[in-house]
Amino acid sequence: MTIKIGIMGYGNLGRGIECAIKQNSDLELVAVFSRRDPKTVKILTETAGVYSADEVLKFKDKIDVLILCGGSATDLPVQTPMYAEHFNVVDSFDTHKKIPEHFENVDLSAKKGGHIAVISSGWDPGMFSLNRLYADAVLPTGTSYTFWGKGVSQGHSDAIRRIDGVVDARQYTIPIDAALDAVRSGSDPELTTREKHERECFVVAADGADKKRIENEIKTMPNYFADYNTTVHFISQEELDLNHKGIPHGGFVIRSGKTGWNNEHNHIIEYSLKLDSNPEFTASVITAVSRAAYRMNNDGLTGCKTMFDIAPAYLSPKSAEVLRKELL
Amino acid sequence: MTIKIGIMGYGNLGRGIECAIKQNSDLELVAVFSRRDPKTVKILTETAGVYSADEVLKFKDKIDVLILCGGSATDLPVQTPMYAEHFNVVDSFDTHKKIPEHFENVDLSAKKGGHIAVISSGWDPGMFSLNRLYADAVLPTGTSYTFWGKGVSQGHSDAIRRIDGVVDARQYTIPIDAALDAVRSGSDPELTTREKHERECFVVAADGADKKRIENEIKTMPNYFADYNTTVHFISQEELDLNHKGIPHGGFVIRSGKTGWNNEHNHIIEYSLKLDSNPEFTASVITAVSRAAYRMNNDGLTGCKTMFDIAPAYLSPKSAEVLRKELL
């Protein structure tokens, strides 16, 4: 018997979920739901159907977990509480400041419906959060650092594209090696924003646009670029399409901590990701979490959860015996 | 209210537990139990007592978790099932082949007593196992690699010391950079034992001992050294005491995996530890696990568990709200 999955929203993330399900024989994609006209949405899985988002409640008994692939700004704050009443759901809500509020809303609704709703799954929040928690619990006397990249920041790329005279743009966030090395040395450095990451921008300017002005507008943009050392390269649309169309990302969670009666010994815990496709990796985490959500609900658990609340064994298709034998 | 801890066995690991408890204000060391004459055992914590191992059952109502610091060869197979009937217990059983048998024995006894018994805690088994599981669940199409070192192997050092004419010895296990780089490249290499690790030995020979013979006996020793490139350095006892008395260790868990409809994207997940003190870091993990054991038992759970079965939040002294706010 397979765990039956529905996908709500079919962008990069939804397609990533579809690909991840293909790699897991205990999971089955039943339906993709979209706000677009279903006739215009082409999916890859021959055995699954495409339906209007309005029809999702008809699938209450046909879907074990509904994976919500909407955005954190406007979709998920509405969708996750709404659907958690009717389905086990998983989302990747990543607006850090609003997580407490989102948690409360979703918890109420999931408990009302008797379902599990896992919020904020993915890699950050998600795998990086887990590694921050484990390292913090194991080495309470210490300092944690998170670095992102090298990778494409969609938000920063969008910000550049909004500048007058910019046709297209791609922004990379890059962790600075000297900062990583200082952290790994165990010296517990205090690092400014500028010392941790730099930003590299590839910009296609309109014919005749003032590149000096564009570069200046980028480098002085508050919040996005002003606090960073930023490099701007003007390139052609062809070059951007050829070399900068991927969506790589990754990063590092490092904790430097002390042990011993007088804190005389130092330890470095480092977790890193190097991802060719940010949405597909995020989707792979969410897909494993959907298995956990189904099983936890089967075990009688309900309410809103995060990856902090999921015993790791729930994520794996392997039995407890096999896990102990092969991976312990 | 603090969680009251007892330590059974006061060697390097037991002392590491004592130091770790000092860093956690929600934990309190109540008693250390030893098979030695308690009068001869000096501990660091002024508020805790030292007692004979025979007296431990008198502490049934005074201790929330008993941490077992014996060895996997002969101590834990007897102690963990024996004490799990009377206490929540945590051990660091690391004889991989015998984990299924140990689990069954401990589970029976822990359930009988209504306690939680967490076995095989530490970093390998332990944190490395967790990282193997998470990476395997998230990237099911891929290959996992574990490398150990650079670090001191007690077993290999002992094996050298048993050679005729050897006064003292210290052996380092060293992961080979070329192998690490090949794995990180995503090429999924098949690596032989010899390609993954090398062994470096520092040996103090007795006056007049035949060093050629000693070196040859080390390098050809089956299982321990014959399958590795091994380097032997003869040094003085003074030099060994000066430069090789620490117990550093560490290592790497790396998974290289593919995503995408046609497995077209590659991802590297890497977890690494660089530890100044192997026993103190192991102890720090076990100490966090003891908190989880107590709380899981408080939540009505019983039986034998591994770190695979512990929802991460149980390990942290921070509340669920604080964890979501600060670490998610």
Side-chain angles (χ1 to χ4, degrees):
Chain A
M1 240 214 18
T2 55
I3 300 173
K4 293 175 175 48
I5 308 285
I7 295 174
M8 175 62 69
Y10 194 69
N12 281 336
L13 186 60
R15 210 163 7 243
I17 303 282
E18 182 180 23
C19 295
I21 290 172
K22 187 190 180 193
Q23 294 187 339
N24 288 282
S25 59
D26 62 326
L27 307 181
E28 180 187 353
L29 180 62
V30 169
V32 169
F33 301 92
S34 173
R35 281 176 297 206
R36 288 175 277 163
D37 177 353
K39 284 195 228 63
T40 68
V41 178
K42 287 267 165 293
I43 65 170
L44 303 163
T45 307
E46 292 178 5
T47 52
V50 182
Y51 304 89
S52 162
D54 302 332
E55 298 186 86
V56 67
L57 288 191
K58 296 182 192 161
F59 286 78
K60 276 193 69 158
D61 300 325
K62 293 175 187 143
I63 284 175
D64 296 313
V65 186
L66 182 65
I67 298 178
L68 306 175
C69 299
S72 296
T74 56
D75 298 329
L76 298 176
V78 177
Q79 290 182 353
T80 315
M82 183 166 76
Y83 294 130
E85 195 179 331
H86 305 287
F87 298 95
N88 295 313
V89 299
V90 182
D91 81 15
S92 57
F93 187 79
D94 66 357
T95 311
H96 268 87
K97 269 192 194 166
K98 297 192 173 165
I99 285 176
E101 181 188 340
H102 189 57
F103 184 93
E104 290 308 325
N105 294 338
V106 174
D107 193 48
L108 213 68
S109 148
K111 279 182 177 152
K112 190 173 164 195
H115 294 109
I116 284 276
V118 187
I119 62 164
S120 305
S121 305
W123 63 272
D124 198 1
M127 295 308 303
F128 271 20
S129 320
L130 283 176
N131 276 280
R132 286 188 286 261
L133 188 161
Y134 278 119
D136 186 79
V138 166
L139 293 176
T141 304
T143 313
S144 289
Y145 299 85
T146 301
F147 292 86
W148 295 274
K150 181 182 177 174
V152 171
S153 165
Q154 210 56 54
H156 287 76
S157 302
D158 290 345
I160 299 172
R161 277 191 288 261
R162 283 192 294 267
I163 293 173
D164 193 46
V166 171
V167 175
D168 203 350
R170 188 60 49 118
Q171 192 270 175
Y172 295 94
T173 303
I174 305 170
I176 295 174
D177 281 337
L180 282 167
D181 289 344
V183 169
R184 289 178 186 134
S185 77
S187 69
D188 289 4
E190 282 199 38
L191 298 165
T192 63
T193 298
R194 191 177 298 276
E195 286 168 333
K196 285 184 74 185
H197 298 92
E198 58 186 317
R199 300 197 177 278
E200 189 171 24
C201 313
F202 293 87
V203 179
V204 180
D207 279 349
D210 181 350
K211 293 181 180 174
K212 270 258 160 72
R213 173 191 52 80
I214 292 173
E215 179 166 347
N216 187 57
E217 281 195 39
I218 294 173
K219 290 184 170 177
T220 58
M221 196 184 297
N223 302 319
Y224 284 86
F225 294 100
D227 297 335
Y228 300 85
N229 289 341
T230 301
T231 315
V232 178
H233 308 279
F234 288 95
I235 61 173
S236 67
Q237 185 73 56
E238 292 69 34
E239 195 183 335
L240 188 135
D241 292 346
L242 192 66
N243 298 328
H244 303 285
K245 274 296 168 189
I247 319 176
H249 221 310
F252 304 81
V253 172
I254 308 179
R255 186 164 181 88
S256 160
K258 312 277 184 195
T259 65
W261 195 250
N262 298 303
N263 295 333
E264 62 269 31
H265 290 125
N266 201 65
H267 307 273
I268 303 290
I269 304 174
E270 177 167 343
Y271 179 80
S272 72
L273 296 173
K274 201 175 135 221
L275 313 174
D276 273 2
S277 166
N278 183 354
E280 287 181 8
F281 186 79
T282 303
S284 294
V285 177
I286 292 174
T287 300
V289 167
S290 72
R291 171 187 295 121
Y294 170 74
R295 289 173 165 184
M296 290 169 81
N297 191 239
N298 252 14
D299 283 354
L301 298 168
T302 64
C304 188
K305 309 285 176 190
T306 72
M307 292 184 79
F308 292 163
D309 308 305
I310 300 177
Y314 275 123
L315 296 165
S316 172
K318 296 175 179 166
S319 71
E321 289 75 18
V322 170
L323 288 176
R324 286 195 293 270
K325 192 152 181 269
E326 295 181 359
L327 298 180
L328 195 64
Chain B
M1 243 218 12
T2 55
I3 301 172
K4 292 176 177 49
I5 308 286
I7 295 174
M8 175 64 68
Y10 194 70
N12 281 335
L13 185 60
R15 208 160 11 241
I17 302 283
E18 182 180 24
C19 295
I21 290 171
K22 186 189 180 193
Q23 294 187 338
N24 288 282
S25 60
D26 63 327
L27 308 181
E28 180 188 353
L29 179 63
V30 170
V32 169
F33 301 92
S34 173
R35 282 176 295 207
R36 287 175 277 163
D37 177 353
K39 284 196 229 62
T40 69
V41 178
K42 286 266 168 294
I43 66 171
L44 303 163
T45 308
E46 291 178 7
T47 52
V50 182
Y51 304 89
S52 162
D54 302 331
E55 298 186 86
V56 69
L57 288 191
K58 295 183 192 160
F59 285 79
K60 276 193 70 159
D61 301 324
K62 293 174 188 146
I63 285 175
D64 296 312
V65 186
L66 182 65
I67 298 178
L68 305 175
C69 299
S72 296
T74 56
D75 297 330
L76 298 176
V78 176
Q79 290 182 353
T80 315
M82 182 165 79
Y83 294 130
E85 195 179 331
H86 305 286
F87 298 95
N88 296 313
V89 299
V90 182
D91 81 16
S92 58
F93 187 80
D94 66 357
T95 310
H96 267 86
K97 270 192 192 167
K98 297 194 173 166
I99 285 176
E101 181 188 339
H102 189 56
F103 184 92
E104 290 308 324
N105 293 339
V106 174
D107 193 47
L108 213 68
S109 148
K111 280 182 177 152
K112 190 172 165 197
H115 294 108
I116 284 276
V118 187
I119 62 165
S120 305
S121 306
W123 62 273
D124 197 2
M127 295 310 303
F128 271 21
S129 319
L130 283 176
N131 277 280
R132 286 188 287 261
L133 188 161
Y134 277 120
D136 186 79
V138 166
L139 293 175
T141 304
T143 313
S144 290
Y145 299 84
T146 302
F147 292 86
W148 295 274
K150 180 179 176 175
V152 171
S153 165
Q154 210 55 55
H156 287 76
S157 301
D158 290 345
I160 299 172
R161 279 191 286 262
R162 283 192 293 266
I163 293 174
D164 194 46
V166 171
V167 175
D168 203 350
R170 188 59 49 119
Q171 193 269 176
Y172 296 93
T173 303
I174 305 169
I176 295 173
D177 281 338
L180 282 167
D181 289 344
V183 168
R184 289 179 185 133
S185 78
S187 68
D188 289 3
E190 283 198 38
L191 297 165
T192 63
T193 299
R194 192 177 298 276
E195 285 168 333
K196 286 184 73 186
H197 297 92
E198 58 187 316
R199 300 196 178 277
E200 188 171 25
C201 313
F202 294 87
V203 179
V204 180
D207 279 350
D210 180 350
K211 293 181 180 173
K212 270 258 159 73
R213 173 191 53 80
I214 292 173
E215 179 166 347
N216 187 56
E217 281 194 41
I218 294 173
K219 290 185 170 177
T220 57
M221 197 185 296
N223 302 317
Y224 284 86
F225 294 100
D227 298 336
Y228 300 85
N229 290 340
T230 301
T231 314
V232 178
H233 309 278
F234 288 95
I235 60 173
S236 66
Q237 184 73 56
E238 292 68 35
E239 195 183 334
L240 188 134
D241 291 345
L242 192 66
N243 298 328
H244 304 285
K245 275 296 168 187
I247 320 177
H249 220 310
F252 305 82
V253 172
I254 308 178
R255 187 165 181 89
S256 161
K258 312 279 183 194
T259 66
W261 194 249
N262 298 303
N263 294 333
E264 61 270 32
H265 291 127
N266 201 65
H267 306 273
I268 303 289
I269 304 174
E270 177 167 343
Y271 180 80
S272 71
L273 295 173
K274 201 174 135 221
L275 312 174
D276 273 1
S277 166
N278 183 355
E280 286 181 8
F281 186 79
T282 303
S284 294
V285 177
I286 292 174
T287 301
V289 168
S290 72
R291 172 186 294 120
Y294 170 74
R295 290 173 163 182
M296 290 169 81
N297 192 238
N298 252 13
D299 282 355
L301 299 167
T302 63
C304 188
K305 309 286 175 190
T306 72
M307 291 184 80
F308 292 163
D309 308 306
I310 300 176
Y314 274 124
L315 296 165
S316 172
K318 297 175 178 165
S319 72
E321 290 74 19
V322 170
L323 288 176
R324 284 195 295 270
K325 192 153 183 268
E326 295 181 358
L327 299 180
L328 194 64

